[in-house]
Amino acid sequence: MLILTRKLGESIEIGDDIKITFLEIKGKQIKLGIEAPPHVAVYREEIYKIIHEQNIRAAQFASTDKENLSDIWYRLKEITKPEEEDV
């Protein structure tokens, strides 16, 4: 882990396209500004962990029972099929 000391208004550059600026300190909280390109996802740690756990669950479900998914798809198609009128 790299540990840096910065003053308010100073920044840290990560690579060529990510910049973190220290904007405000109130008590034990620090307000950061993060500039990153749109393809770089930036999350708070607790949100990232939730997303990661949900992705793991989804992958486990998808790999355990693909035949069951096709059965569900078939039943959904049958339920939503429009009724044919008598000609």
Side-chain angles (χ1 to χ4, degrees):
M1 176 187 300
L2 174 64
I3 300 173
L4 302 171
T5 303
R6 300 277 75 201
K7 295 179 182 174
L8 288 181
E10 293 182 335
S11 300
I12 296 171
E13 299 279 338
I14 301 174
D16 293 331
D17 52 4
I18 299 174
K19 180 178 180 178
I20 300 173
T21 304
F22 295 82
L23 302 174
E24 183 179 343
I25 298 174
K26 281 187 179 179
K28 293 184 178 185
Q29 291 187 331
I30 300 170
K31 186 182 283 188
L32 301 173
I34 302 171
E35 295 176 46
H39 69 275
V40 175
V42 179
Y43 300 105
R44 296 186 334 237
E45 181 181 22
E46 62 273 18
I47 300 300
Y48 178 80
K49 286 180 179 180
I50 291 169
I51 293 169
H52 183 71
E53 289 170 8
Q54 289 176 348
N55 287 342
I56 289 172
R57 284 191 210 130
Q60 288 171 343
F61 175 76
S63 65
T64 56
D65 199 2
K66 290 182 183 177
E67 285 183 27
N68 190 25
L69 289 176
S70 63
D71 185 45
I72 291 170
W73 177 250
Y74 175 77
R75 286 188 285 155
L76 284 173
K77 283 176 31 180
E78 289 298 312
I79 291 171
T80 59
K81 185 188 293 185
E83 293 183 28
E84 296 180 18
E85 294 183 19
D86 294 330
V87 178

